[in-house]
Amino acid sequence: DTGVSQDPRHKITKRGQNVTFRCDPISEHNRLYWYRQTLGQGPEFLTYFQNEAQLEKSRLLSDRFSAERPKGSFSTLEIQRTEQGDSAMYLCASSLSTGPIYFGEGSWLTVV
Amino acid sequence: GDSVTQMEGPVTLSEEAFLTINCTYTATGYPSLFWYVQYPGEGLQLLLKATKADDKGSNKGFEATYRKETTSFHLEKGSVQVSDSAVYFCVLSDLVSWGKLQFGAGTQVVVTP
């Protein structure tokens, strides 16, 4: 399978714990994006990378959130001190420059 | 800022009926427009796209035409199947911030046998 893969697919965590999601983009895609989707809503942009450089961050991305793409390949999204409001699906997507954007199946986070 | 408005769902149809989902957008530049589909329990899939005015995107029997004069990108399918039941998102991306997608709220479509 050469699509965008995300891990884990589901995560349940207690409030205050840290969680990390991993995204492996389509091979050779230089752009990688993170989105958040809550039930009944469209996805909202969080941040994106071109190669290893993080080019833009949404104001939705509070200081508890950090994303990295250290070698320009896979990316991680870490949420520190999780809150119940962080419960959502976290989507990763990738593209080759300004080509079509392909999404992974998402990582569901439930904060209890 | 840029935004997308699409018709609210759910839209319930019988098999073989005609489907239209209205979508209008607001943008300062010349965006590219997309329709993404999300089947139950699955991720988002790109359904079709159009990158400039009067372009028609098509895929799997679905069509949408980029209308700059009416700032619209309505999705249509002539004969829906039960397997078309899903949530459909109208999406916009500016070329300058490619990939910073602006999604509509989504329209759930339910097709009954």
Side-chain angles (χ1 to χ4, degrees), chain B residues 10-63:
Chain B
V11 174
T12 302
L13 302 163
S14 298
E15 207 164 21
E16 299 183 2
F18 185 87
L19 170 68
T20 299
I21 304 176
N22 290 337
C23 171
T24 57
Y25 68 90
T26 302
T28 53
Y30 300 93
S32 291
L33 300 171
F34 310 86
W35 279 97
Y36 278 82
V37 59
Q38 191 169 35
Y39 297 102
E42 298 184 13
L44 288 159
Q45 297 178 23
L46 177 62
L47 182 59
L48 53 83
K49 66 181 175 70
T51 57
K52 61 183 187 297
D54 299 325
D55 269 2
K56 177 186 282 188
S58 61
N59 186 25
K60 299 182 180 179
F62 291 89
E63 291 184 342

Side-chain angles (χ1 to χ4, degrees), chain A residues 9 31 33 35 37 40-43 45 48 56 89 91 95 97-105, chain B residues 34 36 38 41-46 49 89 93 95-106:
Chain A
R9 294 290 316 280
R31 289 199 176 191
Y33 315 88
Y35 285 79
Q37 184 179 20
Q41 300 297 316
F45 170 81
Y48 88 95
E56 188 167 347
M89 182 161 66
L91 292 161
S95 72
S97 296
T98 57
I101 298 156
Y102 297 97
F103 283 81
E105 295 194 346
Chain B
F34 310 86
Y36 278 82
Q38 191 169 35
E42 298 184 13
L44 288 159
Q45 297 178 23
L46 177 62
K49 66 181 175 70
F89 292 95
S93 182
L95 187 61
V96 174
S97 301
W98 186 260
K100 187 179 175 183
L101 303 176
Q102 185 68 47
F103 282 78

Side-chain angles (χ1 to χ4, degrees), chain B residues 54-92:
Chain B
D54 299 325
D55 269 2
K56 177 186 282 188
S58 61
N59 186 25
K60 299 182 180 179
F62 291 89
E63 291 184 342
T65 301
Y66 187 161
R67 302 284 189 201
K68 189 168 184 293
E69 64 275 14
T70 54
T71 62
S72 65
F73 192 54
H74 305 320
L75 182 68
E76 297 181 337
K77 185 173 185 182
S79 177
V80 293
Q81 305 300 312
V82 172
S83 57
D84 294 323
S85 297
V87 180
Y88 293 82
F89 292 95
C90 186
V91 183
L92 171 161

Side-chain angles (χ1 to χ4, degrees), chain A residues 1 7 9 12 22 30 33-34 36 51 85 97 99 101 107:
Chain A
D1 184 7
D7 183 70
R9 294 290 316 280
I12 300 174
R22 177 182 169 120
N30 58 343
Y33 315 88
W34 285 101
R36 181 172 68 188
N51 301 312
S97 296
I101 298 156
S107 292

